[in-house]
Amino acid sequence: ESFNYKSAGAKKTFVKEFGKRLGISTVSQAEDILNKGQEFTANAIYGNAYKSDNYKAKELGNIEEGDGYKYRGRGYIQLTGRSNYASAGKALGLDLENNPDLAFDPVNAAKIAANYWKTRPGLRDAAKAGDINTATKLVNGGSIGLEERGKLFGKYLGEVKSGSIDEINKNTEAKIAAISAQNFTASAPVNFKFPNKIPDQPQTQSEIIPLGS
């Protein structure tokens, strides 16, 4: 997960999305946070670095200093928060709480995403019903990227029904690999080496939304 809100538009988006939890309402206030770097920004959004009573920190189980950045969004579903890492790790037999970078691995990321979709109450039902609004809110409580996600859902559903999805996947393999590499390396540690093999049908950046954001 990247915390680069450099453009004027991005800074306005920052205020809109996180203003309430951080107690800010102006771009100038947002810049006070953003200018301190990505690590501080993450700890402000998901922890108590900026606002000591940030409700989102408690909701995500980020109880220790630095948890916001340590448990920032990773993988296809953008797993976020100490509690979510601990829960997913327990379900999958992975020590994600002590080794959160394991979520960068494409195989682990696929398992994490599948586990979340199976265990999140109401999510599978919303997906089966084609209820994109509810599915989005169940994943991250907001509506980030909702319009584009709706368009992509319609596109992919049509491809699946027509039986053309397999051929489309073959023809776009290189593009998918490039998008996946971008998603993972955007917030991966400097010494992280992206694997050559990736799972089938990874999500595009527009489909990825941080849990709890």
Side-chain angles (χ1 to χ4, degrees):
E1 181 178 2
S2 175
F3 300 91
N4 283 324
Y5 292 82
K6 294 182 178 180
S7 69
K11 291 175 183 177
K12 289 180 180 178
T13 297
F14 183 88
V15 174
K16 179 181 178 181
E17 297 296 337
F18 306 117
K20 182 178 179 180
R21 79 174 70 167
L22 296 175
I24 64 173
S25 58
T26 68
V27 169
S28 177
Q29 290 173 313
E31 289 175 337
D32 287 340
I33 297 171
L34 298 171
N35 290 341
K36 293 178 182 178
Q38 290 204 42
E39 186 167 346
F40 181 86
T41 300
N43 287 326
I45 295 172
Y46 300 133
N48 298 309
Y50 184 79
K51 194 169 184 283
S52 61
D53 60 345
N54 183 353
Y55 66 85
K56 186 57 67 173
K58 183 178 181 180
E59 182 181 306
L60 293 172
N62 289 338
I63 56 176
E64 296 183 9
E65 183 177 350
D67 276 0
Y69 184 74
K70 183 176 182 180
Y71 299 106
R72 66 194 182 279
R74 293 178 176 87
Y76 297 131
I77 197 71
Q78 291 287 274
L79 188 68
T80 307
R82 179 188 283 271
S83 293
N84 283 322
Y85 275 80
S87 178
K90 183 178 180 180
L92 299 171
L94 297 169
D95 190 6
L96 293 171
E97 186 171 5
N98 291 314
N99 301 283
D101 281 346
L102 288 173
F104 277 125
D105 180 86
V107 174
N108 291 338
K111 291 179 180 179
I112 291 167
N115 175 71
Y116 189 83
W117 275 82
K118 288 193 294 184
T119 59
R120 182 74 166 173
L123 188 53
R124 282 197 296 178
D125 291 336
K128 288 178 181 178
D131 187 346
I132 302 171
N133 288 357
T134 298
T136 298
K137 290 180 179 179
L138 286 171
V139 172
N140 78 341
S143 58
I144 302 172
L146 185 59
E147 183 178 355
E148 184 175 5
R149 190 172 301 110
K151 293 178 181 178
L152 289 169
F153 176 79
K155 176 177 180 289
Y156 295 155
L157 185 61
E159 291 170 355
V160 171
K161 287 182 175 180
S162 70
S164 62
I165 191 70
D166 289 337
E167 187 62 31
I168 291 171
N169 284 336
K170 291 177 183 178
N171 294 336
T172 59
E173 184 178 17
K175 182 178 179 181
I176 290 173
I179 292 172
S180 295
Q182 181 183 37
N183 289 341
F184 279 105
T185 57
S187 56
V190 175
N191 61 352
F192 179 79
K193 184 177 180 181
F194 188 80
N196 291 324
K197 182 176 177 59
I198 61 173
D200 292 337
Q201 301 179 31
Q203 294 174 309
T204 64
Q205 184 65 45
S206 61
E207 294 174 283
I208 294 178
I209 42 181
L211 298 181
S213 69

